[in-house]
Amino acid sequence: MIIGAKKTRSFWQHWWPYFVVILGALLVLGVAHDDGLYQTPILKIQSVKVISVEKQSDQFNNEDHQVEQKLAGVITNGANKGKRLKVENTYLKSQATTLGYHTGQKVFLTVHQNQRHFSATISNLKRDTALAFTVWLTVSLLLILMRFSGLMALTSVIVNGVLFWLAVSWNTHTQGGIVLVIFGGLAVVFAALTLLIVIGFNRQMLMTLLATIGGTALSVIVALTVFALTHERGVYYESMQYVTQLPRPLFLAETILGSLGAVMDESTDIIASLMALKTEKPDISAKQIFKSGRQIGGEIMGPLVNVLFFIFVAETLPLALLFLKNANSWGYTFNMTMSLGVVQSLISGIGIVLTIPLACGITSLMIGGHHSWERLRH
Amino acid sequence: MGTITALGLLLLICMVAVGGTQGLQAWISLIFNFGALFFAMVLMAFHLPPVLVTLVTGVIVLAMTIFLGGNDSNSTMIAFYASVAVLILLVLLIIPVEHWVQIQGFGQEDSEDLEGMSNILGISYLNVAIATAILSTLGAIAEAAIAIAAGLAEILEQHPKITLKNLQGAGFKVGSQIIGTTFNTLFFGFFGGFLALFIWFAGVHYSIGEILNDKILVGEVLMVLFSMMSVIATIPLTTWAMVASERSARKKFMK
């Protein structure tokens, strides 16, 4: 009996990621057939006919092709389920603001119903299946390769996602008046929860949390000081996208959140490596710990700043290209599309660098022993 | 002095103060990467194929970030090889997914930015979307590869006689300790940057169905997922590369 139970346990211990993967695959399959859950009518495109292709040009000598297509398909949900329908769609080949559709795709319809006549236009493409598939692929890779630590990483992202959404709703309820308080305060909660999930509650986690909060706070203080000294020249808040409330505090909140993850990453990397080093070599001195930490930090700070740089700046590419193709100068294009991302990267970068001495100092003080520190001072 | 110049100089001072020569290199790599990104954009505006431009830019950026970031030549070389392998795998994934999901270009939420703009562009925005997704993951790939390789090199330096099996275990252990926080770097980096969009969603009361099919949001989430997958793939690839290199080094030593 006992041997049997042990066998079952180790069986589960070994195979659970694969069960999650199979379960997830079934869910993705479910999402591919979830049309009934939507109130908006969905059309499954069965055939596409190109009616005309016309060359277009604008005052900047850009050239494009306008394509008119006729899509025939069948409605897959709601009251009109099973009804066959033909829809016309016009798009530019560059597909920046309009889309061309293919056979097999599902689209949402806006129905225009007169007394007898039933017609519709396409409002959006159904993307939930592709989204679910990519989520499934990521989770599968994570669980199979990283197993338990992968599960913990996933949990922390989900917990943070839920908290993030709660904070956003709270911000909406307060009309964005205290956006900095909400997201600044939540940054601390985010950090504590994430580290608790990823590391667990121990001395290492507390040290990392301290370094994270300290580093993020330092970067914000430095940023505000520089803003005050330079009168925010070259910071174009009007170029912020999707703004529905006062842009300046919103920008600061975005910067705090954006750099929080990286600062946390950095302190965890440094402190985890130092703890591993201490385990491998218990008689290591505080000075050596500080030196090793600074070396590890020095090696990863550049790449880490670049992580955020590419996240913040790469996603401005489509808009920047639009500006350039509209005959704007490079300078104006930079100011209106990339400058805020660059400011965010630089502020985060300063936070990331200042975290290194902070994390090393905290670690060597906590695990290095006091004697060696006294020796260092003399 | 403009704010960007001031922040840039301050970053330089901090980096040099903390990392010395290495700090200077890190700063140069950041400036270089900005130049590379801007140059890639200009090339795309001149109608060079976006995906090809991105691939070349990607390999150069990875090389600059990794070689200017690390100082141990053996571990940085391994980090570079592993990161290029991850980049290639990622491109093979991104291209079909982007064709499937069609998140290219601008959504209805962007209409204010598009006012008065000509949308006759002549550049395939599907390829621009692919380029954007690849570019946004470059930093994450380089960082993860360096973190693993640097961690292993540190262990090798302190413990030159560690067995290869333990070295591989150590790689996965460092990987498992960084993966949680690296995920959060990506999560906060992306979602922090798009805080305004989420506030928009909440304010206009989008339904869940609308959010899950929204062009901008799906595009954004996909970029996070691509970055996460690249980090996941980097851990075993870098570890195996490191173990293989150490194995061949020891064989040579034995002879």
Side-chain angles (χ1 to χ4, degrees), chain A residues 50 52-56 64-68 90-93, chain B residues 120:
Chain A
V50 175
S52 69
V53 181
E54 215 176 292
K55 207 170 182 179
Q56 299 251 329
D64 216 328
H65 291 86
Q66 182 171 301
V67 182
E68 234 179 293
T90 308
Y91 69 96
L92 283 166
K93 264 199 172 154
Chain B
I120 295 174

Side-chain angles (χ1 to χ4, degrees), chain A residues 290-291 293-302 352-354 356-357, chain B residues 11-27 68-71:
Chain A
F290 195 94
K291 220 181 110 199
R294 210 168 132 176
Q295 196 194 337
I296 297 170
E299 276 199 32
I300 58 178
M301 74 180 170
I352 287 166
V353 179
L354 293 180
I356 298 174
Chain B
L11 182 65
L12 173 65
I13 295 167
C14 289
M15 280 182 155
V16 171
V18 170
T21 323
Q22 209 171 34
L24 181 67
Q25 287 177 347
W27 190 80
L68 285 179
N71 62 357

Side-chain angles (χ1 to χ4, degrees), chain B residues 111-185:
Chain B
S111 36
E112 201 185 317
D113 289 318
L114 303 181
E115 233 168 76
M117 294 268 197
S118 162
N119 59 0
I120 295 174
L121 300 166
I123 301 173
S124 160
Y125 259 64
L126 177 60
N127 288 337
V128 173
I130 293 171
T132 310
I134 297 171
L135 288 173
S136 69
T137 63
L138 289 179
I141 298 177
E143 195 266 337
I146 286 226
I148 305 288
L152 284 179
E154 188 71 20
I155 287 171
L156 269 177
E157 193 185 307
Q158 303 284 342
H159 264 266
K161 283 178 184 157
I162 188 169
T163 64
L164 288 177
K165 207 181 165 195
N166 281 350
L167 187 66
Q168 176 163 336
F172 275 83
K173 202 182 164 198
V174 175
S176 72
Q177 282 195 314
I178 66 161
I179 192 141
T181 49
T182 305
F183 267 36
N184 283 291
T185 303

Side-chain angles (χ1 to χ4, degrees), chain A residues 212-240:
Chain A
T212 304
I213 295 172
T216 312
L218 267 179
S219 72
V220 173
I221 293 167
V222 169
L224 287 177
T225 314
V226 174
F227 279 8
L229 288 176
T230 57
H231 307 289
E232 306 191 2
R233 196 179 311 146
V235 185
Y236 297 93
Y237 290 118
E238 65 268 32
S239 70
M240 256 179 102

Side-chain angles (χ1 to χ4, degrees), chain A residues 81-208:
Chain A
K81 190 174 173 175
K83 193 180 178 85
R84 297 196 166 275
L85 195 67
K86 279 194 174 130
V87 188
E88 278 183 21
N89 178 47
T90 308
Y91 69 96
L92 283 166
K93 264 199 172 154
S94 57
Q95 303 196 62
T97 47
T98 45
L99 279 186
Y101 298 99
H102 314 295
T103 310
Q105 282 182 321
K106 286 178 178 174
V107 289
F108 293 104
L109 296 175
T110 310
V111 173
H112 316 282
Q113 202 158 14
N114 297 344
Q115 276 149 342
R116 283 191 199 150
H117 192 65
F118 184 91
S119 71
T121 46
I122 295 172
S123 63
N124 199 6
L125 179 70
K126 190 170 178 289
R127 297 190 170 87
D128 53 0
T129 315
L131 182 64
F133 170 79
T134 318
V135 171
W136 169 76
L137 192 63
T138 312
V139 172
S140 303
L141 272 176
L142 182 67
L143 294 183
I144 289 175
L145 280 171
M146 303 308 297
R147 305 184 73 88
F148 185 70
S149 53
L151 184 67
M152 288 296 104
L154 182 67
T155 313
S156 78
V157 167
I158 292 171
V159 168
N160 282 336
V162 171
L163 267 180
F164 183 77
W165 185 249
L166 288 178
V168 167
S169 321
W170 185 17
N171 171 69
T172 307
H173 282 299
T174 51
Q175 264 84 44
I178 51 169
V179 62
L180 261 183
V181 178
I182 293 177
F183 287 98
L186 266 153
V188 177
V189 180
F190 279 141
L193 263 178
T194 306
L195 293 173
L196 209 57
I197 294 169
V198 173
I199 304 177
F201 185 77
N202 52 30
R203 202 167 53 153
Q204 185 182 346
M205 176 260 169
L206 287 176
M207 285 169 4
T208 314

Side-chain angles (χ1 to χ4, degrees), chain B residues 6-237:
Chain B
L7 285 171
L9 286 178
L10 196 60
L11 182 65
L12 173 65
I13 295 167
C14 289
M15 280 182 155
V16 171
V18 170
T21 323
Q22 209 171 34
L24 181 67
Q25 287 177 347
W27 190 80
I28 291 171
S29 89
L30 184 66
I31 302 299
F32 176 86
N33 283 344
F34 175 75
L37 195 67
F38 202 88
F39 188 60
M41 181 183 78
V42 171
L43 287 182
M44 286 179 214
F46 286 134
H47 295 269
L48 267 79
V51 179
L52 191 69
V53 169
T54 306
L55 273 179
V56 176
T57 314
V59 174
I60 297 173
V61 159
L62 284 177
M64 284 300 279
T65 311
I66 291 174
F67 291 125
L68 285 179
N71 62 357
D72 175 348
S73 62
N74 187 37
S75 79
T76 47
M77 203 63 211
I78 288 160
F80 174 66
Y81 287 143
S83 68
V84 171
V86 173
L87 177 68
I88 292 167
L89 285 178
L90 197 67
V91 170
L92 293 179
L93 174 72
I94 286 179
I95 290 177
V97 171
E98 293 280 341
H99 274 87
W100 183 11
V101 77
Q102 289 194 303
I103 47 83
Q104 67 264 33
F106 308 99
Q108 51 182 12
E109 296 86 356
D110 288 305
S111 36
E112 201 185 317
D113 289 318
L114 303 181
E115 233 168 76
M117 294 268 197
S118 162
N119 59 0
I120 295 174
L121 300 166
I123 301 173
S124 160
Y125 259 64
L126 177 60
N127 288 337
V128 173
I130 293 171
T132 310
I134 297 171
L135 288 173
S136 69
T137 63
L138 289 179
I141 298 177
E143 195 266 337
I146 286 226
I148 305 288
L152 284 179
E154 188 71 20
I155 287 171
L156 269 177
E157 193 185 307
Q158 303 284 342
H159 264 266
K161 283 178 184 157
I162 188 169
T163 64
L164 288 177
K165 207 181 165 195
N166 281 350
L167 187 66
Q168 176 163 336
F172 275 83
K173 202 182 164 198
V174 175
S176 72
Q177 282 195 314
I178 66 161
I179 192 141
T181 49
T182 305
F183 267 36
N184 283 291
T185 303
L186 301 172
F187 175 86
F188 284 119
F190 280 105
F191 284 62
F194 264 56
L195 180 58
L197 182 70
F198 285 97
I199 289 174
W200 176 308
F201 285 159
V204 188
H205 298 290
Y206 273 47
S207 71
I208 293 180
E210 279 171 314
I211 291 179
L212 289 181
N213 292 284
D214 185 80
K215 203 191 224 182
I216 315 258
L217 178 107
V218 172
E220 186 73 2
V221 174
L222 284 186
M223 280 203 272
V224 187
L225 294 172
F226 290 142
S227 304
M228 286 178 172
M229 277 192 261
S230 67
V231 172
I232 300 169
T234 305
I235 294 170
L237 282 176

